[in-house]
Amino acid sequence: MSSVRIGIIGLGYVGLPLAVEFAKKYPVVGFDIKQDRVDELKQAYDATLEISSEHLSSVLCKNYNGTQCLYITSSSSELAAANYYIVTVPTPTDKNNRPVLMPLLKASETIGRVLKPGDIVIYESTVYPGATEEDCVPVLERISGLTFNKDFFVGYSPERINPGDKEHTVTKIKKVTSGSTPEAATKVDDLYRSIITAGTHLASSIKVAEAAKVIENSQRDINIAFVNELAMIFNRMGIDTHEVLAAAGTKWNFLPFKPGLVGGHCIGVDPYYLAQKAQEYGYHPEIILAGRRLNDNMGKYVASEVVKLMIARDHKVKGAKILMLGITFKENCPDIRNTKVVDIVQELKQYGAEVEIYDPWASPEEVMKEYKLECLPALNGNHYEAVILAVAHDQFKTLDIRALGASETYVVYDIKGVLPPEDVDGRL
């Protein structure tokens, strides 16, 4: 595959690790529309913390010269050097939980302007079955003037990046691949197989690969919704849910899911893509949307549980100071996309509480920009009527939680179930 030249569109949590690995074997042009992101990457700094500065600097090159390295740019015209294009842009939902394909379609337009006969465009962004060929391909054809499956070809290989996970990195996770023709599918599979040490799975069609992606996270979403519902039931019974799960987990085939908030760019989003397509075919999905509704309401549930505990201890909720430990969507990761911790904060504010947020991993500037919420730069000696451990960052596991209380009767609520039971007053 000596003639392979790769262009990667979108250098976030998915695109950058992929670009770095491909750059060890091929010439790679990494493109992103965010100039500040491009500037920081050129200085070998990755704000997502997925790639170390040492690792990034080892593959960077200042100019595209056709050798194996990573050239980063915000100029879309420089993508013309590639003959394989990989799209790794976000695919979020709007406020009504409808799929937002605009980033994907804009990326397709960008590629269409430089697309050449013989090129292959591969999509990694999460979509519903059919989106690649029905939504993206027409854009490529319209902008480029080329004909699909005659002049250019497409593939789909769903991303499987787990932000913050330093063990299951991009090359160590088996990759699903597919292509618009058997020949294109083989080329796409060969390309990924050249860097993915865990191997690949060549799907029979692009739609099969697309469907596989959305059900991966829909399955997790439904299972988490189940244990979240169990937590609500067992909390009413006065039974510790985590002890129940530990006991049930002694059976060899019991699935080890835990209750919690379901946010982020995948699990809390992907089921809506599948549901949208199902409804277009006249089927209203019951279990998928029921799981989404339950998980989307967990923030309100946690807030109400904390308020109940405070009232039971004669704390006045209105005006009470409450500390939220963590705002990112998962532990030991700076990613704040679609974090459901925000739902707890907003609900507590509805009760009139004064909520302060501390997260050593999150960027205060990004939190303010995205959610209009302030983050403490550090714990400042304040004391609180309640403390909620929302994210299991390593720094919080050794924190003296009891030293943060304004009184002996203050409330500690552990969403993640990582603190010693004797130190908490409530948990999922």
Side-chain angles (χ1 to χ4, degrees):
M1 304 183 72
S2 58
S3 62
V4 168
R5 302 179 304 280
I6 300 171
I8 294 185
I9 296 84
L11 297 176
Y13 283 88
V14 175
L16 182 65
L18 193 67
V20 167
E21 291 303 323
F22 272 127
K24 296 174 183 178
K25 298 196 68 169
Y26 308 107
V28 178
V29 178
F31 169 79
D32 201 287
I33 60 173
K34 296 179 180 178
Q35 188 60 51
D36 56 347
R37 175 67 171 163
V38 169
D39 291 341
E40 72 179 22
L41 292 177
K42 284 185 173 181
Q43 298 301 314
Y45 173 68
D46 171 26
T48 70
L49 305 182
E50 291 298 303
I51 305 294
S52 68
S53 293
E54 181 181 8
H55 195 180
L56 184 53
S57 62
S58 69
V59 298
L60 284 177
C61 52
K62 293 184 177 180
N63 301 103
Y64 181 80
N65 54 21
T67 61
Q68 57 187 55
C69 66
L70 172 58
Y71 173 62
I72 294 174
T73 182
S74 58
S75 174
S76 59
S77 62
E78 295 188 273
L79 286 167
N83 52 15
Y84 283 81
Y85 296 95
I86 302 177
V87 179
T88 58
V89 298
T91 45
T93 54
D94 64 17
K95 63 180 181 180
N96 297 312
N97 296 320
R98 292 174 300 198
V100 177
L101 295 183
M102 188 54 66
L104 201 64
L105 301 180
K106 288 292 185 183
S108 300
E109 289 179 1
T110 297
I111 295 170
R113 296 186 188 101
V114 295
L115 198 62
K116 306 173 298 299
D119 288 352
I120 295 179
V121 184
I122 306 166
Y123 291 88
E124 287 211 2
S125 306
T126 300
V127 293
Y128 45 71
T132 299
E133 292 158 296
E134 297 166 12
D135 296 293
C136 298
V137 165
V139 175
L140 294 173
E141 286 189 310
R142 175 171 55 83
I143 299 296
S144 69
L146 301 177
T147 302
F148 175 49
N149 278 344
K150 176 184 175 185
D151 301 319
F152 73 93
F153 306 87
V154 300
Y156 184 78
S157 181
E159 59 91 358
R160 281 179 167 172
I161 294 292
N162 187 24
D165 190 336
K166 303 307 178 186
E167 180 181 352
H168 302 97
T169 51
V170 61
T171 62
K172 298 176 183 177
I173 303 173
K174 195 164 189 175
K175 203 83 161 68
V176 174
T177 63
S178 63
S180 55
T181 67
E183 294 78 11
T186 298
K187 288 182 178 181
V188 171
D189 192 66
D190 287 345
L191 180 67
Y192 281 104
R193 197 152 28 87
S194 69
I195 65 162
I196 305 296
T197 57
T200 61
H201 174 91
L202 180 56
S204 61
S205 70
I206 287 175
K207 286 185 179 180
V208 167
E210 291 168 328
K213 172 57 179 174
V214 289
I215 71 163
E216 286 175 18
N217 287 317
S218 296
Q219 182 189 65
R220 287 183 55 78
D221 193 42
I222 291 166
N223 278 291
I224 296 171
F226 172 60
V227 293
N228 275 339
E229 190 163 57
L230 293 180
M232 294 179 185
I233 295 169
F234 294 143
N235 284 346
R236 291 193 176 200
M237 296 179 176
I239 301 172
D240 189 304
T241 305
H242 291 268
E243 291 183 8
V244 173
L245 294 174
T250 58
K251 190 167 187 278
W252 77 93
N253 61 351
F254 185 81
L255 301 177
F257 287 92
K258 294 182 178 180
L261 304 176
V262 183
H265 69 297
C266 283
I267 301 179
V269 172
D270 295 1
Y272 287 122
Y273 276 76
L274 182 55
Q276 168 79 15
K277 203 61 177 178
Q279 289 168 355
E280 289 179 13
Y281 279 79
Y283 180 81
H284 183 79
E286 300 288 348
I287 295 175
I288 294 170
L289 291 180
R292 277 285 72 235
R293 283 192 297 272
L294 194 146
N295 284 339
D296 273 348
N297 283 313
M298 288 306 293
K300 289 185 177 181
Y301 173 77
V302 169
S304 68
E305 289 296 292
V306 172
V307 167
K308 288 176 186 176
L309 288 168
M310 293 176 67
I311 292 172
R313 297 191 173 187
D314 295 324
H315 286 290
K316 184 180 178 182
V317 177
K318 186 175 182 180
K321 285 188 174 294
I322 298 177
L323 176 64
M324 185 69 65
L325 291 173
I327 190 71
T328 62
F329 94 88
K330 66 180 295 187
E331 64 275 5
N332 304 324
C333 172
D335 196 348
I336 63 169
R337 289 176 295 174
N338 194 35
T339 173
K340 294 304 177 181
V341 179
V342 171
D343 295 349
I344 306 174
V345 174
Q346 302 294 7
E347 189 70 10
L348 289 171
K349 287 186 175 183
Q350 292 290 319
Y351 284 101
E354 298 178 11
V355 184
E356 293 186 349
I357 303 166
Y358 172 62
D359 193 317
W361 283 83
S363 163
E365 294 77 19
E366 284 190 21
V367 174
M368 174 56 70
K369 180 181 178 181
E370 187 69 23
Y371 300 110
K372 302 297 185 290
L373 294 172
E374 290 187 10
C375 282
L376 297 174
L379 292 176
N380 53 17
N382 283 353
H383 292 87
Y384 304 89
E385 278 72 50
V387 174
I388 303 172
L389 191 147
V391 188
H393 295 317
D394 288 343
Q395 292 94 327
F396 296 155
K397 296 177 183 178
T398 57
L399 189 65
D400 186 358
I401 297 287
R402 284 293 167 189
L404 299 170
S407 68
E408 289 295 322
T409 59
Y410 97 115
V411 170
V412 176
Y413 195 92
D414 180 10
I415 293 175
K416 301 299 291 186
V418 296
L419 298 175
E422 62 271 17
D423 289 344
V424 304
D425 304 295
R427 61 179 182 171
L428 281 180

